[in-house]
Amino acid sequence: MESFVEISPAPPASEASAPPENVPLDSDALLAKHHKALNSELHVAVPAESTLLHVADFPSTDPEELEGMVELRAEDLTPFPMDRTYVGWELLSSTETESKVLIALAGHGVIDPLHETLRAHHLLPHRLDVDVLAWWRLLAEHNREVSRLLMIVEGPHSHLIVVDHGTPVAFASLGDLRGCPAEVLLEDLEIALAGVEADRGSVQVDGLSIWVRSETPEALETEKIMAAYDGHVTQNDLRELPELSRGLVLRGLEGGKRKVLDLAPPAWKEEEAMRATRKRVLGWSAALAALWLVGAIGLAVYVKIQENQLQTLRRNLAAQQQPVETVRDLSLQVRSLSQFTDRSASALEVLRVMAEAAPGTGGVVIRDMHYRKDQGVTFSGEARGDFFQFQETLSASEILRVEDFDTKQERDFTEFRVVTRWIWQDEDGTAGARP
């Protein structure tokens, strides 16, 4: 009989005060508090038949001292070599000077195959419990502060729990009770009580509580059982209790309040931590890879959009270039035609401007002049006076702008060639344009 359940880590002891000794935590409140996180750890209950359970009293409450005492007691209890035995323990109750401790022993031949089976299914148990302890966690809510014998019968499996004032003091597996005579069952119960009394003194029980899941074995229906306990025998349906997994969950959650049994070796914890670390690393790697992929896709889409916009702008520019050229040519033609009616830029006006700019009478002789209404005036000649004064005065004209000039100095005169442009070409931004 094995049970598996995933539960979350138990809360630290600082979150709430520890419960009173021997009084179970309220299961509904405990589960309600942690129901959102009951899926991060795997807790497994192994059959009680495969373990040895022993309750011992130690004169200490220090966890480290109790650990050492448990190891010494385990060496006396185990039927196997210590290097082939897994040991776990939990604190049942304590006073100011003493502690009642439950010790569980299991051979490697029981635990290791379970580990391999779970690993084959990619599972790793966080904690190993015993099924009868999970049943006790559920039954404890129905049997507080009583001294009774509790018998759990589930098919071929049956367990006995000796309870002394609300605290279990002995556990025993009774095997398959189907077909077992009542005399044999009573003898087993007497042996179990004798063992408890030999270990811790007389134990007075008030009766026997039997919890059965399906059909009640014949040995439990006879009058001999009733007579042995003066009629203080009750039978209950095990199906009235919650599932065994609930008891396992509750015990796991109580691990933050007190020391709870765990038969899992430390190597499993290390393996679990490594697996969790590897899982986190893989998760972060996957997240980073996803972010990088999203970023790369986003960048590629952005670049493609920019390229499309650039192509659109180029097409628009190409489509508008010809109309712009046409408008510019028409503007130049209109401006050139306007020169025929605008006497301020006539050839005579240009000659007047050059005459006024000449440095003295007969200082400048114009030998050649090319007048273009759409461009300007280019002329050449010779200057007897100061040519540069002539050039500076001409540059101050309101209709012409000296764009370039060449000079050649002779003995008593200066040959020159001057290129001018209309001022209106600067104003219209069409300098250098041709019709």
Side-chain angles (χ1 to χ4, degrees), residues 371-387:
Y371 179 88
R372 295 292 299 271
K373 286 185 175 295
D374 62 321
Q375 295 184 7
V377 179
T378 301
F379 57 92
S380 60
E382 57 185 47
R384 298 289 177 178
D386 187 353
F387 168 77

Side-chain angles (χ1 to χ4, degrees), residues 363-365 367 380-388 405-417:
V364 176
V365 178
R367 299 188 182 279
S380 60
E382 57 185 47
R384 298 289 177 178
D386 187 353
F387 168 77
F388 292 103
F405 64 86
D406 294 324
T407 61
K408 182 180 179 182
Q409 187 66 39
E410 298 296 341
R411 176 179 295 181
D412 54 353
F413 63 90
T414 301
E415 289 186 359
F416 63 85
R417 181 177 180 275

Side-chain angles (χ1 to χ4, degrees), residues 5-6 22 40 48 58 60 64 73 90 111 137 156 163 172 176 189 195 203 205 207 209 303 307 315 385 403 411:
V5 64
E6 293 184 0
N22 304 326
S40 62
F58 294 120
S60 176
E64 294 184 0
R73 181 63 63 87
E90 72 174 65
I111 304 301
R137 179 61 181 84
V163 183
D176 191 354
L189 295 179
V203 176
V205 295
S209 294
V303 171
E307 289 179 351
R315 287 194 296 269
E403 187 176 76
R411 176 179 295 181

Side-chain angles (χ1 to χ4, degrees), residues 50 199 332 349 379 394:
S50 303
D199 185 50
L332 287 174
E349 184 67 18
F379 57 92
L394 189 62

Side-chain angles (χ1 to χ4, degrees), residues 277-316:
T277 301
R278 183 166 58 251
K279 186 176 181 180
R280 285 195 298 269
V281 171
L282 291 176
W284 280 109
S285 300
L288 291 176
L291 289 176
W292 178 87
L293 182 60
V294 171
I297 294 175
L299 180 60
V301 171
Y302 175 77
V303 171
K304 188 64 177 179
I305 293 175
Q306 294 298 314
E307 289 179 351
N308 292 338
Q309 291 179 348
L310 180 59
Q311 293 296 330
T312 301
L313 291 175
R314 286 177 176 173
R315 287 194 296 269
N316 293 338

Side-chain angles (χ1 to χ4, degrees), residues 43 72 110 153 184 231 235 269-270 295 312 336 367:
H43 292 221
L72 292 176
V110 174
V153 181
V184 176
Q235 288 200 17
K269 298 294 191 296
E270 297 175 2
T312 301
S336 178
R367 299 188 182 279

